[in-house]
Amino acid sequence: MARQVTPQSFEQQVAGARLEPVYLFVGPDDAMKAKLVTQLVESIEEDFRPFNVDKLFPPEHREEARKQFWTVLQLARTLPMMAPRRVIIVAQAEKLMPIFKAGDDEALQPGDEPGGRKGRKALQKAAGEAELEALEEYLTKPSPDAVLVFVAAEGLNRNLKPVKLLEKLATVVDCDPLPGSNDAVAWVKAEAAAEGVRVEAGAARLLAALAGGDITRLRAEFERAVLFASGDGIITEAAVREVASAPTTQDPWAMTNAIHDGEAGEALRQLAMKLDEGEYPPMILGQLRWYVATKMSSRRVPAAVEALFRTDLALKRSGGDPRVLLERLVVELCG
């Protein structure tokens, strides 16, 4: 039977090099998942990462995703090169699940010709079953020389057979820091301590109320409050109220939502509001990086990552007006 561990326990496993062979990351905190993946990747010496670390995004097309699944298993069974282990990350794992039920939404119809559509559908169903059997076989007897991580978003359907297999045979890392009603306040206090700033009790309660149990919103509100409080060393309730009154705070994801919808004009308007309200350009870039890593269509990810890297480098080297650099990036991400 698999076990469920906290993100903190996973960090200890990485630090102690006592890793399980297969993990499933679940929960709403995408930033925490990204942090854990980074720590795992950095456990491999930098010079040898190109030979031992693979991060894959499932393609939109089912047949291409099926091919990628077999590639994942092949990589997991490949011996590491001058490293203690191989690391294989399957991002957006929920998008891989349809390959295991390829025939479910294509019921065979009477009268299908044996060599035509019926034959093709039968092959698709058999292929889906083959992947499911292969997954169970690997989970039952995983490679001791690899760590395979499936990183799933909240859209993961936990009633599917492959997900049930993962929950049964892999180690599940639940990235949900707010399972209870009072956990948001505790989270704010812990994060403030980690940032080296104090936080008023009223400010912590207000941040929790603004987030409404949404860790993504809470993280965005907290980061804005920390930035606002820089130099003072304390997050006050008055400061949180002042920051929360900014239009961008009411919907911190309006810009990324507009990018997702391909509405460049609206995305640029939201970007301008963020900048005009004093939001720090690297913070905006971080939000865009999160969007690309977790929400963008996999076929567009490689080009988007290149654009992010180019913008990040330009910002760090003062290679232009931050507003212009971010505007170019937003337009590019809108496609």
Side-chain angles (χ1 to χ4, degrees), residues 5 33 43 72 125 142 160 176 183 187 269 304 318-319:
V5 300
K33 295 173 198 171
S43 71
V72 167
K125 186 173 183 179
L160 297 176
D176 183 6
D183 291 321
W187 184 92
R269 190 178 76 85
S318 300

Side-chain angles (χ1 to χ4, degrees), residues 41-231:
V41 169
E42 290 180 349
S43 71
I44 305 297
E45 190 174 339
E46 186 174 4
D47 289 345
F48 300 113
R49 287 174 200 165
F51 311 104
N52 296 287
V53 177
D54 295 276
K55 187 171 184 179
L56 302 98
F57 293 84
E60 297 291 337
H61 193 274
R62 183 173 292 177
E63 289 305 316
E64 293 300 318
R66 178 176 289 121
K67 292 176 184 177
Q68 188 185 81
F69 168 77
W70 291 106
T71 299
V72 167
L73 294 187
Q74 184 179 18
L75 289 170
R77 291 189 172 108
T78 302
L79 290 174
M81 180 181 292
M82 302 180 69
R85 70 191 72 85
R86 290 188 66 89
V87 172
I88 303 97
I89 309 295
V90 181
Q92 301 175 340
E94 70 281 358
K95 295 184 178 180
L96 189 66
M97 296 304 123
I99 71 166
F100 300 100
K101 58 184 186 70
D104 292 357
D105 58 350
E106 296 181 342
L108 300 182
Q109 300 297 325
D112 280 338
E113 297 179 6
R117 295 176 60 201
K118 179 178 179 180
R120 288 195 298 272
K121 291 172 184 175
L123 285 173
Q124 283 186 332
K125 186 173 183 179
E129 292 171 354
E131 272 79 36
L132 192 62
E133 291 174 2
L135 176 64
E136 184 171 14
E137 179 183 352
Y138 184 83
L139 294 176
T140 303
K141 191 177 180 181
S143 169
D145 300 308
V147 176
L148 174 58
V149 182
F150 293 90
V151 183
E154 282 197 278
L156 182 69
N157 184 347
R158 301 178 86 156
N159 292 319
L160 297 176
K161 289 181 180 179
V163 179
K164 290 181 177 179
L165 278 176
L166 285 166
E167 291 182 329
K168 177 182 178 182
L169 299 173
T171 299
V172 179
V173 182
D174 190 0
C175 298
D176 183 6
L178 308 177
S181 58
N182 296 321
D183 291 321
V185 172
W187 184 92
V188 169
K189 292 179 178 179
E191 289 295 306
E195 291 285 344
V197 299
R198 292 175 295 140
V199 58
E200 290 182 351
R205 289 193 297 269
L206 180 56
L207 285 167
L210 285 169
D214 182 343
I215 181 58
T216 302
R217 173 78 182 271
L218 179 60
R219 191 181 294 278
E221 298 284 5
F222 175 76
E223 289 176 354
R224 178 183 285 272
V226 169
L227 180 63
F228 189 81
S230 60

Side-chain angles (χ1 to χ4, degrees), residues 244-297:
S245 67
T248 51
T249 306
Q250 301 309 311
D251 185 0
W253 303 107
M255 179 183 66
T256 54
N257 290 339
I259 292 173
H260 182 76
D261 295 336
E263 298 177 357
E266 177 62 16
L268 288 171
R269 190 178 76 85
Q270 293 294 334
L271 171 63
M273 290 171 64
K274 285 175 172 288
L275 292 169
D276 291 344
E277 291 295 333
E279 190 159 335
Y280 193 40
M283 185 183 295
I284 297 174
L285 187 66
Q287 186 184 43
L288 293 171
R289 186 182 294 113
W290 172 87
Y291 165 74
V292 169
T294 62
K295 302 297 182 182
M296 179 170 276
S297 169

